[in-house]
Amino acid sequence: MDPLTQLGGWGISRRAVLQGMAATWAAVTGGFTLNGRYQTAWAREQATSSPSETQPATLRVLGIGGSLRAGSYNRGLLRAAQELTPAPHTLEIADLSALPLYNPDVEAQGFPPAVAGLRTAAAIADALLFATPEYYRSIPGALKNAIDWLGRPPNSPLARKPYAVLGATTADLGTVRAQLQLREILLSFDLPVVQRPEVFISNADGKFDEQGSLLDPASRQAVQDLVAALLVLTEQLQQSWPPARA
Ligand SMILES: Cc1cc2nc3c(=O)[nH]c(=O)nc-3n(C[C@H](O)[C@H](O)[C@H](O)COP(=O)(O)O)c2cc1C
């Protein structure tokens, strides 16, 4: 399958991919090293503008949901975040359903297409938004598996990628334990994280409609506030982090 068509299956538009590839080429020809960071909005603007011409960046967020369930509340949270992402910023939602289980022997043969698609989607994103269910006091295996693939060298697309976390459960504790574990796992990559607000959606079955849309006003406000905080953190970091030189 055409890799860009494959990415469409991940919810990533061809346009976004082509923009990322163009930015990649611009950065490479500018002498920047391929380290998973140079495709950021900061690098895109630096490749085309002088500092005095730089406008506020248009940021791309990749939403990664930990549930493979068709009616997932956590996917519903990501759709709400997508709706509540202020223009011109965008939020695309990844699909983990085609990822194979991480296996070093498989990796040694090269990243499978679904993995390569996810890694590209993460590489061209400026920030990540994880929506995790809680499975037995931790994150689902599907999400851990995605992180296992994303974290692998060379050029892990997680490198210095700011992220935020939220989660929904039908139980009372709102994924508190899963989110703590996810943050601990992501310590492996030394990533900047949004600390507040914390968004724990409990009793989710009463907060979404039958189509999986988030209805509860307080929850929607919390999602909106989290997305805003992630965008602010990302903008701040991109202004203070020059891309690495070869
Ligand atoms: C295997 C399994 C384990 C679960 N363990 C927990 C748990 O430890 N804590 C919790 O709050 N909810 C737990 N739940 C409930 C899920 O959080 C709930 O089903 C949630 O809706 C799943 O997310 P989703 O709607 O995005 O698929 C568990 C569900 C499953 C299927």
Side-chain angles (χ1 to χ4, degrees):
M1 184 185 291
D2 165 12
L4 295 184
T5 305
Q6 174 74 35
L7 282 169
W10 292 90
I12 307 302
S13 71
R14 290 179 78 90
R15 184 166 163 270
V17 174
L18 290 169
Q19 283 176 341
M21 291 167 70
T24 298
W25 182 245
V28 168
T29 54
F32 299 136
T33 178
L34 176 61
N35 64 357
R37 289 192 280 141
Y38 67 112
Q39 296 126 321
T40 62
W42 190 95
R44 289 195 296 277
E45 296 203 352
Q46 294 301 309
T48 56
S49 311
S50 68
S52 60
E53 295 169 333
T54 300
Q55 301 297 313
T58 297
L59 300 176
R60 284 195 291 249
V61 180
L62 181 67
I64 300 178
S67 174
L68 304 183
R69 194 171 72 87
S72 163
Y73 296 124
N74 286 280
R75 183 170 292 274
L77 282 185
L78 290 178
R79 284 196 303 274
Q82 196 172 40
E83 294 163 17
L84 296 167
T85 297
H89 309 301
T90 60
L91 189 152
E92 306 274 355
I93 300 175
D95 179 359
L96 308 184
S97 61
L99 285 185
L101 281 178
Y102 176 76
N103 179 336
D105 296 334
V106 173
E107 182 187 6
Q109 307 298 315
F111 291 122
V115 172
L118 178 65
R119 285 174 63 96
T120 300
I124 66 174
D126 297 291
L128 304 174
L129 179 63
F130 292 95
T132 185
E134 186 165 291
Y135 279 8
Y136 301 134
R137 305 190 172 202
S138 186
I139 66 171
L143 179 55
K144 180 60 166 59
N145 184 53
I147 294 168
D148 290 345
W149 280 117
L150 285 169
R152 299 301 297 154
N155 306 317
S156 167
L158 295 182
R160 288 196 174 186
K161 196 79 66 176
Y163 78 94
V165 182
L166 72 174
T169 174
T170 48
D172 290 336
L173 292 183
T175 71
V176 169
R177 296 165 296 198
Q179 289 193 40
L180 282 173
Q181 292 212 357
L182 178 56
R183 288 170 189 254
E184 184 178 352
I185 289 164
L186 293 172
L187 287 174
S188 303
F189 308 102
D190 191 20
L191 307 181
V193 58
V194 174
Q195 298 290 4
R196 294 288 189 281
E198 295 174 300
V199 182
F200 305 121
I201 309 297
S202 56
N203 307 308
D205 36 351
K207 293 175 180 167
F208 291 78
D209 67 14
E210 289 182 355
Q211 284 69 49
S213 297
L214 181 61
L215 297 181
D216 178 56
S219 300
R220 288 185 69 84
Q221 185 63 57
V223 172
Q224 185 169 5
D225 292 347
L226 184 67
V227 170
L230 178 60
L231 293 171
V232 167
L233 175 66
T234 305
E235 283 173 351
Q236 289 173 344
L237 290 170
Q238 292 197 359
Q239 284 164 16
S240 60
W241 277 352
R245 294 281 174 179

